[in-house]
Amino acid sequence: MSREEEARITLYDGPAGGWGALNSVKDALLHHQIPLKGAKTLLHANQPDGFDCPGCAWPDRNHHSTFEFCENGAKAVAAEATARRATPEFFARHTVAQLAARSDHWLEEQGRLTHPMRYDAASDRYVPIEWDAAFALVVQHLNALPDPNQAIFYTSGRTSNEAAFLYQLFVRQFGTNNFPDCSNMCHEPSGTAMRGQIGVGKGTVTLQDFERADAIFIFGQNPGTNHPRMLGELRAAHRRGARIVSFNPLRERGLERFADPQDKREMATLGSTPISTHYFQPRVGGDLAAVTAMTKHVLEAHDARGGVLDEAFITQHTLGLDALRQQLADTPWALLKEESGLTEAQLRAAGDVYLGAERVIACWGMGITQHQHAVATIEAILNLLLLRGHIGREGAGPCPVRGHSNVQGDRTMGIWEAPPPALLDRLQQVYGFAPPRAHGVDTVGAIRQMAEGRCQVFFALGGNFAAATPDTHETWHGLRQCGLTVHVTTKLNRSHLVHGREALILPCLGRTEVDRQAGGPQGVTVEDSMSMVHISTGMNPPASAHLLSEPAIVARLAAATLGARSAVPWAWLVEDYARIRDEIEKVFPDFHDFNARVAVPGGFRLRNTASERVWATPSGRARFASHALPLPTAIHAARAREAAQQVFTLLSTRSHDQYNTTIYGLNDRYRGVRGQRDVVFIHPEDLRALGLRAGERVDLHAVWPQEQDAGHERCVRGFTLVAFDIARGSLAAYYPEVNPLVPLWSVAEGAGTPTSKSIPVVLVPHRPDAPAA
Ligand SMILES: Nc1nc2c(c(=O)[nH]1)N[C@H]1C(S)=C(S)[C@@H](COP(=O)(O)OP(=O)(O)OC[C@H]3O[C@@H](n4cnc5c(=O)[nH]c(N)nc54)[C@H](O)[C@@H]3O)O[C@H]1N2
Ligand SMILES: Nc1nc2c(c(=O)[nH]1)N[C@H]1C(S)=C(S)[C@@H](COP(=O)(O)OP(=O)(O)OC[C@H]3O[C@@H](n4cnc5c(=O)[nH]c(N)nc54)[C@H](O)[C@@H]3O)O[C@H]1N2
Ligand SMILES: [Mo]
């Protein structure tokens, strides 16, 4: 990663992984001044006695003997284990206004925070504060609120189960369910759809199922960058002859070819293994139509030759197939072709892969969830699986691939603005207080509440709210209206610079670090994307002697805020996290014998009723869902209105050198981009039609329907055009740069997730004189 790389675009024709991945890790270690023997840290990632990689939520093989190399996991670890430090002296040298003028990349580069800091308005600087004084300031604000709902408590999905459990208990005793979290912007639609249809909001498959599947569908996901260890599973599946079918408007190298850096032969011969056997490039947002078409094809095949559906399963376990049949009969092929952007032959070919397989897994990521019709699309994927009984059977099932390493666990622990009544009942029984019953705000709701001036305290356990959220303008306006903003964090980020009237930065330990409490060094637990719960123990010395662990921060704040109002022995619990796990076990029966079971290397799998074909739905059955294609969408409306110019659908995505809002570097190796981030990927024919050339710069204007978006000018400027193999009519650019284009009101129906992957835009040549967005 040579960081001050000259901006250029070059075709990347190598495989994913390979020597490029090894070199990039070497560069990251050098950059963070981690001696190569510090690569020892890397060897502890995802090992039974090591720490859980802070990269993604893909499960671990947990083989003591083998180390699974992962370029982006290594980059995440190196970024946390960095030798760079953002000390009080650093803050003394820069006003907040000066820091705010720097890029996200530069902020990240300053390294680990070392000391609690308080915003001093007089000097416009962050100045050091002692922990007790910092807690006292938060307590003063919280306890002055006329209504606890004027405080909002955000969570990013890296938080451990122990911290998350204490946090939800504290905040509910304080009196609110205001728990927006990153999940609201991520897999919320997956949980919504799956709970409704199969009674559990989590995927049902395990890594063992991946070893047995003979067809794996991957919708809207880029594992080469975001879940590199998944490529190992896909490679093995490909090698034993499984079909791998990718749906993605972009040609992503990681879905095409992979060279495993641990395969000496592949590395020596510069060879690679193909990943996808079939690659379909639907238009952005076209998956609902595509999956509906596959389902229609399957039903047509059944009607023509019989014996296709798993009728015994359908009769015994499901409801709603007749309604789905009717809806499909009413949906013509012409519409499905038009909306998916694929030909009938392609759609039927995809359907044939499904028909030819005995064991089917369907994976999906943000390319599915960040759309207006995300819930309907996931329901359509589940319908498809249900037709041939591919849920609750070896080698088959739904697999939403989660993002943050403990985002699934945080929700399990009750970080949820809409908590199930059973959870609240249980908290009431165990702790003897009346938890608030009214739902709290989700991420979008939180922004609205802040922007209306109704949030006095915004507290964030990790994350980067100011940069991750949609409608940047409104979000920043909201954050600045708060009386106090508090961020528990490891590194400096944008959210610390877009702050309330008062503000605190509270630096915490990271996963890789030794967490020593009165009872000795502690481990925390996490739950991965496949419901495996295991322990994570850091081994590096803390980045500074002034850091506290997240559980300690939450417990001290809870004790100070609630005082005699709470009977929970907060300080005692944090002395030994096994005590917190005992509390978790009291509230959640699935965590019985928690400490014993998590002491086993590799941990244990949480019960997943759907994978046992027990359907925790109101009817006791799995449900086929049916709805007509949602037409017209905002995209259709924009096309109709802006008939004079071409309306594109813009998706926002991650580069290879970023972790969400954390920008490690300015390269996106597999897409051939170096030294820059303000780029927009476009099909060469679309470029030609516009009379523009690759390398020219454009402004992106969002064209949302006026009825909903009147009075808003949403524009980002000066993006360089990159010709790319992407579906026609679709564009791609990086998040968070294009977040100002996403309005708060455009969300996934039924789940509230901002539609960051379907933004109607028009391109106009860049006008350098125009004011910045
Ligand atoms: N290194 C690294 N790892 C990460 C992260 C990171 O930023 N960096 N982030 C973590 C988090 S929180 C998450 S949620 C995951 C995110 O991992 P992904 O789910 O892979 O997220 P994205 O990079 O946003 O892109 C998703 C893919 O969807 C495609 N896509 C976009 N729109 C559509 C569409 O309409 N249809 C289809 N079929 N495809 C579409 C894009 O081209 C892209 O390939 O990764 C996690 N892991
Ligand atoms: N346009 C657009 N917007 C999106 C998305 C998109 O695809 N497109 N994706 C959405 C998705 S999927 C997600 S998950 C959200 C992400 O939203 P967030 O989770 O809020 O954002 P991150 O960038 O992951 O947070 C990074 C920050 O977390 C802090 N951090 C890192 N490690 C630790 C730790 O161990 N403890 C603590 N306390 N803090 C830590 C660091 O300060 C770092 O700057 O963004 C969403 N926003
Ligand atoms: Mo995510």
Side-chain angles (χ1 to χ4, degrees):
M1 251 182 306
S2 56
R3 271 136 208 278
E4 270 67 52
E5 191 98 37
E6 184 195 341
R8 63 194 158 89
I9 308 294
T10 42
L11 181 72
Y12 177 77
D13 55 10
W19 289 102
L22 287 184
N23 284 330
S24 139
V25 169
K26 189 188 77 210
D27 289 348
L29 292 173
L30 282 174
H31 178 79
H32 289 290
Q33 298 155 28
I34 300 174
L36 273 183
K37 77 170 179 9
K40 195 170 111 256
T41 310
L42 300 180
L43 297 175
H44 285 77
N46 294 333
Q47 291 297 310
D49 57 353
F51 59 88
D52 183 66
C53 176
C56 69
W58 187 257
D60 321 321
R61 279 272 164 202
N62 271 316
H63 288 169
H64 231 311
S65 52
T66 56
F67 155 73
E68 254 189 305
F69 173 84
C70 171
E71 175 193 351
N72 280 350
K75 275 150 59 181
V77 171
E80 185 177 296
T82 181
R84 295 166 178 247
R85 296 288 179 270
T87 59
E89 296 71 49
F90 162 82
F91 284 101
R93 287 198 300 272
H94 303 272
T95 64
V96 168
Q98 287 164 345
L99 294 174
R102 299 293 195 150
S103 70
D104 291 335
H105 180 212
W106 188 90
L107 298 177
E108 162 69 16
E109 290 285 271
Q110 303 316 307
R112 291 288 300 278
L113 295 158
T114 62
H115 206 282
M117 306 296 291
R118 173 183 66 84
Y119 179 65
D120 174 52
S123 64
D124 188 36
R125 280 182 170 80
Y126 274 100
V127 296
I129 181 172
E130 293 309 313
W131 278 104
D132 281 336
F135 289 127
L137 181 64
V138 186
V139 172
Q140 180 201 323
H141 276 264
L142 286 177
N143 284 341
L145 296 182
D147 173 358
N149 293 311
Q150 288 182 8
I152 294 178
F153 297 85
Y154 178 70
T155 314
S156 167
R158 226 179 257 196
T159 294
S160 64
N161 288 336
E162 287 75 4
F165 179 81
L166 294 182
Y167 191 49
Q168 62 83 34
L169 183 58
F170 156 49
V171 171
R172 293 200 164 105
Q173 288 203 333
F174 175 70
T176 179
N177 284 312
N178 279 345
F179 282 116
D181 76 335
C182 67
S183 202
N184 299 144
M185 297 179 271
C186 188
H187 267 293
E188 194 71 58
S190 307
T192 305
M194 291 194 294
R195 273 193 305 280
Q197 275 179 285
I198 60 172
V200 11
K202 304 178 183 183
T204 67
V205 302
T206 63
L207 286 182
Q208 287 64 46
D209 292 317
F210 265 81
E211 290 166 7
R212 298 197 177 94
D214 52 9
I216 301 171
F217 288 82
I218 304 170
F219 296 99
Q221 204 210 328
N222 182 20
T225 286
N226 299 316
H227 304 90
R229 286 176 300 118
M230 180 176 171
L231 292 186
E233 305 300 328
L234 295 175
R235 173 179 185 266
H238 186 103
R239 290 189 159 197
R240 63 180 163 69
R243 300 294 161 104
I244 299 178
V245 186
S246 290
F247 282 83
N248 199 310
L250 270 79
R251 280 254 159 200
E252 301 282 27
R253 183 50 43 88
L255 292 170
E256 294 184 312
R257 280 181 288 138
F258 173 51
D260 184 349
Q262 280 166 298
D263 182 325
K264 293 201 183 73
R265 203 164 154 264
E266 257 178 9
M267 294 298 277
T269 59
L270 299 182
S272 62
T273 304
I275 296 293
S276 299
T277 52
H278 300 68
Y279 205 118
F280 299 110
Q281 291 176 274
R283 64 165 90 238
V284 175
D287 303 82
L288 176 55
V291 180
T292 304
M294 288 165 67
T295 309
K296 191 173 165 82
H297 177 71
V298 171
L299 287 172
E300 286 177 7
H302 183 76
D303 294 342
R305 59 174 203 257
V308 164
L309 304 185
D310 184 341
E311 288 174 299
F313 172 81
I314 290 172
T315 311
Q316 192 189 341
H317 289 285
T318 71
L319 289 176
L321 181 57
D322 290 341
L324 175 62
R325 268 182 176 282
Q326 188 55 52
Q327 182 241 312
L328 290 172
D330 295 343
T331 311
W333 276 98
L335 181 67
L336 296 172
K337 285 171 3 191
E338 167 65 23
E339 290 303 314
S340 65
L342 298 172
T343 64
E344 184 170 336
Q346 289 174 313
L347 294 166
R348 289 194 186 273
D352 281 336
V353 175
Y354 175 85
L355 285 173
E358 284 305 311
R359 291 173 294 277
V360 177
I361 288 179
C363 305
W364 67 91
M366 296 301 100
I368 295 299
T369 65
Q370 296 172 341
H371 293 285
Q372 185 193 329
H373 49 273
V375 174
T377 308
I378 297 159
E379 288 179 341
I381 294 172
L382 293 171
N383 286 343
L384 185 63
L385 291 175
L386 286 172
L387 285 179
R388 281 168 53 84
H390 289 299
I391 302 186
R393 178 146 71 74
E394 190 175 70
C399 179
V401 182
R402 305 269 167 184
H404 269 297
S405 48
N406 197 39
V407 62
Q408 187 161 314
D410 290 346
R411 187 52 69 82
T412 306
M413 290 296 110
I415 302 295
W416 200 347
E417 77 284 355
L423 167 63
L424 301 178
D425 294 344
R426 193 73 199 137
L427 289 173
Q428 184 150 9
Q429 277 166 14
V430 176
Y431 296 104
F433 73 104
R437 296 274 160 175
H439 287 180
V441 287
D442 64 1
T443 293
V444 167
I447 298 167
R448 289 190 193 283
Q449 182 173 332
M450 286 183 208
E452 288 163 11
R454 293 184 294 110
C455 171
Q456 284 311 311
V457 180
F458 176 75
F459 186 99
L461 194 56
N464 187 357
F465 195 85
T469 48
D471 207 331
T472 312
H473 182 266
E474 194 75 350
T475 300
W476 290 19
H477 167 67
L479 284 166
R480 289 181 171 131
Q481 302 256 82
C482 297
L484 173 69
T485 49
V486 187
H487 291 274
V488 178
T489 181
T490 49
K491 293 244 184 113
L492 180 61
N493 71 37
R494 186 68 48 197
S495 299
H496 313 146
L497 309 175
V498 183
H499 54 79
R501 286 186 293 285
E502 294 195 82
L504 288 169
I505 301 176
L506 305 181
C508 66
L509 293 171
R511 288 259 175 90
T512 53
E513 291 163 333
V514 176
D515 178 355
R516 188 174 291 282
Q517 304 294 335
Q522 304 295 318
V524 293
T525 60
V526 292
E527 174 186 339
D528 66 32
S529 205
M530 296 183 182
S531 305
M532 297 295 302
V533 178
H534 59 94
I535 204 129
S536 167
T537 317
M539 21 71 69
N540 286 344
S544 140
H546 303 285
L547 306 184
L548 292 184
S549 73
E550 290 186 352
I553 292 173
V554 173
R556 283 178 65 173
L557 182 61
T561 307
L562 301 172
R565 276 189 284 162
S566 173
V568 175
W570 298 101
W572 180 80
L573 288 177
V574 204
E575 287 175 4
D576 180 349
Y577 296 175
R579 296 171 185 166
I580 307 177
R581 289 188 283 276
D582 285 339
E583 298 297 310
I584 293 174
E585 174 172 346
K586 284 187 206 161
V587 174
F588 300 104
D590 284 351
F591 284 82
H592 63 87
D593 302 314
F594 192 5
N595 279 304
R597 285 197 293 161
V598 89
V600 176
F604 63 94
R605 181 161 187 248
L606 282 174
R607 182 171 181 217
N608 182 304
T609 43
S611 60
E612 301 165 14
R613 295 196 166 173
V614 171
W615 315 105
T617 55
S619 63
R621 287 175 176 236
R623 186 172 63 79
F624 285 97
S626 44
H627 3 228
L629 295 193
L631 296 171
T633 63
I635 305 287
H636 294 87
R639 281 197 213 127
R641 202 183 60 243
E642 308 283 335
Q645 31 185 354
Q646 173 154 17
V647 174
F648 289 90
T649 314
L650 170 71
L651 68 88
S652 59
T653 189
R654 290 152 172 82
S655 80
H656 196 62
D657 278 356
Q658 76 183 81
Y659 191 91
N660 297 338
T661 67
T662 303
I663 311 301
Y664 300 138
L666 301 181
N667 299 341
D668 190 6
R669 192 167 73 248
Y670 301 152
R671 300 192 188 113
V673 175
R674 301 195 78 86
Q676 59 194 323
R677 288 184 52 86
D678 286 348
V679 296
V680 54
F681 300 93
I682 181 169
H683 191 283
E685 291 298 325
D686 283 334
L687 266 183
R688 224 187 312 275
L690 288 173
L692 293 168
R693 282 200 312 268
E696 287 181 338
R697 298 217 293 159
V698 289
D699 298 340
L700 282 66
H701 290 267
V703 284
W704 295 101
Q706 280 307 303
E707 312 82 73
Q708 280 121 312
D709 214 39
H712 291 281
E713 151 92 355
R714 301 186 194 277
C715 174
V716 292
R717 297 182 196 278
F719 280 56
T720 301
L721 291 162
V722 176
F724 202 80
D725 190 349
I726 179 174
R728 293 221 40 197
S730 301
L731 301 175
Y734 300 132
Y735 133 71
E737 280 78 353
V738 297
N739 290 30
L741 302 179
V742 185
L744 292 184
W745 56 263
S746 180
V747 296
E749 280 159 16
T753 301
T755 61
S756 310
K757 300 259 192 291
S758 41
I759 311 168
V761 296
V762 295
L763 299 181
V764 297
H766 177 50
R767 288 190 302 127
D769 53 332

